[in-house]
Amino acid sequence: MVVVMSIAASREDIDRVATFIAEHDARAHISQGEERTIIGVIGYQHRVQREHLATLPGVEKVIPISKPFKLVSREFKKDNTIIPINGVKIGGGIPVVIAGPCSVESEKQILETAYMVKENGGHLLRGGAFKPRSSPYSFQGLGKQGLKFLQRAREETGLYIVTEVLEAMYVPLVAEYADVLQIGARNMQNYELLKSVGRIQKPVLLKRGMSATLTEFLMSAEYIMSEGNNQIILCERGIRTFVEYTRNTLDLNVVPAVKSISHLPILVDPSHGTGRRDLIEPLSLGALAVGADGLLIEVHPRPEEALSDADQTLGEAAFKRLMHLINHFTAWQENYQQQVAGTAFA
Ligand code: PEP
Ligand code: MN
């Protein structure tokens, strides 16, 4: 349940509610809004009586949350969460493009890619230093050296860095270099890792597990948020189905479905979602049309030489064209929304 405090509630009122919750074996998650404070009751709730909470001073109302996920639900927070990173706002209405190679391969490669992303209007640089590969014989990433190369690219281009963390014990190391920590599809239900990134104060990009339901996806986000980190960016990256013509099936349904029940922003990754370079462009535009807050795109100066995910990686010409189309599409979409806003269909 969620306790909505009145606008006039004092610090003591808030503390009293938090103490009451703690005394009844649950945890209070305090969220300070611009106007009022909202307190989520999380954990074991059986001893917390809603009727009793409602009588405490400063409490305006107590709302039961019907969903298994609480803090990430729209019932808990009505307004969209916006995550500002280096001047861009994820969830702020303008699609954000995170682009870069699947893996950091060398200093030269990441620097070249970073310039390519920047010059074509990408907003953040991605690149894996620790790679979760299906085969133990495939390239596993450069590890800490890869993080240092990413740092170098950030210093040179000013682009902020998104990179994956594979294990809870590496969270402090990766957080030293990364501006956004990525949790990969294979780790979406690694609860210890989720709790670890929940305890840092950096944005987390949470990718959907390849066979995760929407509820499971949001429960993983709930793990992060219940530890105190509210900066979560969801990412749809395709799910396993029976199809064999693409690597995964990009589930664009999930974008508006997430928006209706959660306040968190959601990106779409058509690179892993399709596994096919030729499908990135149409699926990127499709993702924006259904309301995605941005895209995650794999790019490389020489895609055919990429050490991982070469088949789904765009080269400079295709990336340039994609960015151009995205900009046109966004301008068209804004205009369309303004026109609809003035009609009976708004
Ligand atoms: C990646 O982003 O390169 C990656 C490994 O993605 P996923 O976890 O979605 O497979
Ligand atoms: Mn990849």
Side-chain angles (χ1 to χ4, degrees):
M1 66 193 119
V2 166
V3 183
V4 179
M5 301 301 291
S6 69
I7 293 173
S10 65
R11 189 67 241 175
E12 289 80 62
D13 293 338
I14 295 166
D15 290 345
R16 194 178 304 107
V17 169
T19 307
F20 178 88
I21 293 168
E23 281 172 357
H24 292 81
D25 303 334
R27 283 192 293 144
H29 182 283
I30 301 176
S31 163
Q32 196 80 59
E34 265 176 30
E35 271 198 335
R36 60 176 84 238
T37 299
I38 304 225
I39 305 174
V41 183
I42 53 181
Y44 184 73
Q45 310 208 349
H46 285 70
R47 290 193 57 232
V48 188
Q49 279 185 346
R50 186 178 158 202
E51 299 71 27
H52 194 155
L53 259 183
T55 63
L56 296 180
V59 173
E60 188 170 296
K61 58 185 169 180
V62 182
I63 309 170
I65 295 188
S66 50
K67 311 267 181 341
F69 43 88
K70 315 284 177 201
L71 304 174
V72 305
S73 74
R74 269 225 195 264
E75 286 164 282
F76 178 66
K77 182 169 177 277
K78 177 166 82 353
D79 297 328
N80 290 336
T81 287
I82 297 175
I83 302 176
I85 306 173
N86 193 25
V88 294
K89 290 185 178 150
I90 300 190
I94 298 170
V96 170
V97 176
I98 303 176
C102 180
S103 306
V104 179
E105 299 167 2
S106 65
E107 185 172 48
K108 178 171 177 282
Q109 172 248 17
I110 196 66
L111 285 178
E112 267 185 81
T113 317
Y115 279 114
M116 174 176 144
V117 170
K118 179 157 177 142
E119 280 159 17
N120 289 292
H123 303 101
L124 285 101
L125 177 68
R126 63 146 286 147
F130 295 94
K131 292 304 300 177
R133 302 304 303 282
S134 315
S135 163
Y137 309 119
S138 302
F139 176 59
Q140 304 285 309
L142 298 178
K144 188 169 175 183
Q145 187 58 254
L147 295 176
K148 289 188 190 287
F149 291 157
L150 283 165
Q151 184 180 41
R152 185 73 217 289
R154 181 185 195 269
E155 283 163 8
E156 291 256 339
T157 60
L159 288 175
Y160 275 32
I161 304 299
V162 182
T163 196
E164 181 164 355
V165 57
L166 288 179
E167 280 185 61
M169 69 186 253
Y170 287 124
V171 169
L173 173 72
V174 177
E176 235 181 85
Y177 295 88
D179 299 294
V180 178
L181 282 84
Q182 176 172 320
I183 302 291
R186 291 156 191 80
N187 265 324
M188 190 206 82
Q189 287 179 314
N190 180 340
Y191 300 118
E192 288 310 311
L193 179 59
L194 298 176
K195 285 192 261 180
S196 300
V197 294
R199 293 187 202 109
I200 59 166
Q201 284 307 322
K202 283 205 166 177
V204 175
L205 178 82
L206 176 67
K207 297 189 94 176
R208 181 182 181 185
M210 53 189 84
S211 59
T213 63
L214 172 54
T215 301
E216 286 164 344
F217 191 17
L218 291 175
M219 288 307 275
S220 291
E222 186 81 14
Y223 258 95
I224 300 171
M225 207 163 154
S226 68
E227 291 293 331
N229 189 348
N230 301 339
Q231 302 180 79
I232 305 165
I233 306 154
L234 302 170
C235 180
E236 160 60 28
R237 48 77 71 205
I239 49 171
R240 277 279 162 87
T241 66
F242 55 84
V243 306
E244 28 49 75
Y245 67 99
T246 50
R247 179 177 179 184
N248 289 295
T249 294
L250 192 63
D251 179 19
L252 291 185
N253 296 352
V254 89
V255 175
V258 159
K259 296 259 165 216
S260 74
I261 55 177
S262 174
H263 53 83
L264 294 175
I266 179 162
L267 307 182
V268 168
D269 168 357
S271 305
H272 294 85
T274 64
R276 280 176 48 172
R277 192 177 297 138
D278 62 323
L279 298 183
I280 308 296
E281 191 179 291
L283 272 302
S284 294
L285 298 178
L288 299 182
V290 296
D293 296 295
L295 299 164
L296 194 78
I297 309 283
E298 286 187 337
V299 300
H300 192 291
R302 289 163 298 281
E304 59 296 342
E305 289 174 20
L307 294 182
S308 55
D309 289 348
D311 293 346
Q312 64 192 39
T313 297
L314 298 184
E316 177 149 26
F319 182 57
K320 187 187 278 300
R321 186 183 140 101
L322 177 66
M323 290 305 294
H324 185 77
L325 289 175
I326 290 172
N327 291 335
H328 272 282
F329 187 82
T330 309
W332 174 83
Q333 204 171 22
E334 254 170 46
N335 184 28
Y336 167 82
Q337 274 157 0
Q338 273 167 15
Q339 289 194 7
V340 172
T343 72
F345 300 105

